[in-house]
Amino acid sequence: MSRLVVSVLTSLDGYFQGLDGDLSVMPFQDAFNTHNLELLSTAGTLAYGSTWFTENWDFWSKVAADASANRREHDIAHFVTTLPKIVISDSMAADSGAPWTPTTRIIPRSAAPAELTRLKEQSDGDVVMFGSATTWNPLLELGLVDELTVLVGPALLGAGNKLYTGSRAGLHLTDASVLSRSELVKLRYLTTG
């Protein structure tokens, strides 16, 4: 059985985005991509909300075509552009001409719990979701998220979009460490319902 694994970067005061969805204020460090590559290597499917999917696809598609990008970035781009993906969205529509169409299915939010349950029962690798807090928050409340990894970076934003806005959820800390050559603290939790 596969797991739904969510990984998200947050500021010390609990924001995963700055005001108006600004990601440039986030405490990204080089170790962030190393961590993401490790998760991608265990993934059978990627899950996204529509905004993060579009931004992620556009960025990594450009990296895939960039001969000057390093091997790690090319490896991430390969996973992002070739792994099966689901986009959980009530607003995004399929686009038969888009380069992501062959590997991507769009499902409405109401169908996400059943589809994720099916994927977890039938997939070989984990279902991995990065960011997309407005998408994974309800899934955590429903008990569908199996593992939550929070990377806490050295920044206090003071405002922005909060990491979690749902009802109380039980977590069990299984790992706390500093990512190599960084100031990012990795907190790995299993959900307890």
Side-chain angles (χ1 to χ4, degrees):
M1 178 132 168
S2 299
R3 305 168 304 147
L4 175 55
V5 177
V6 172
S7 181
V8 64
L9 174 69
T10 182
S11 62
L12 183 60
D13 53 348
Y15 295 100
F16 77 97
Q17 292 177 322
L19 289 173
D20 299 320
D22 184 6
L23 292 175
S24 69
V25 297
M26 295 305 297
F28 290 106
Q29 296 184 358
D30 189 60
F32 176 74
N33 279 339
T34 301
H35 163 79
N36 290 343
L37 180 57
E38 289 170 6
L39 280 178
L40 287 165
S41 69
T42 68
T45 304
L46 300 178
Y48 294 95
S50 58
T51 301
W52 186 236
F53 168 73
T54 303
E55 292 173 5
N56 206 40
W57 177 269
D58 289 347
F59 179 83
W60 289 110
S61 294
K62 289 175 186 163
V63 170
D66 182 357
S68 68
N70 67 39
R71 180 175 175 103
R72 181 189 60 186
E73 276 64 39
H74 274 282
D75 288 347
I76 293 171
H78 174 75
F79 282 123
V80 169
T81 58
T82 63
L83 280 172
K85 289 166 279 300
I86 61 168
V87 178
I88 301 167
S89 175
D90 291 332
S91 61
M92 188 173 176
D95 178 353
S96 61
W100 45 260
T101 299
T103 60
T104 307
R105 289 183 300 125
I106 301 168
I107 60 171
R109 288 182 180 273
S110 62
E115 179 59 15
L116 287 167
T117 299
R118 185 191 71 74
L119 282 172
K120 287 167 59 174
E121 291 171 352
Q122 298 176 1
S123 292
D124 290 330
D126 290 333
V127 179
V128 175
M129 178 178 278
F130 297 101
S132 299
T134 55
T135 304
W136 68 259
N137 279 198
L139 300 173
L140 181 66
E141 284 187 278
L142 291 171
L144 292 171
V145 175
D146 301 292
E147 180 180 314
L148 174 63
T149 299
V150 181
L151 301 180
V152 181
L156 294 167
L157 301 186
N161 294 319
K162 283 297 226 181
L163 174 69
Y164 186 70
T165 57
S167 59
R168 188 178 191 288
L171 301 172
H172 173 72
L173 181 67
T174 62
D175 179 45
S177 57
V178 177
L179 296 185
S180 179
R181 289 181 260 167
S182 82
E183 296 179 65
L184 297 175
V185 177
K186 175 184 172 182
L187 302 172
R188 184 173 166 254
Y189 297 95
L190 299 181
T191 58
T192 60

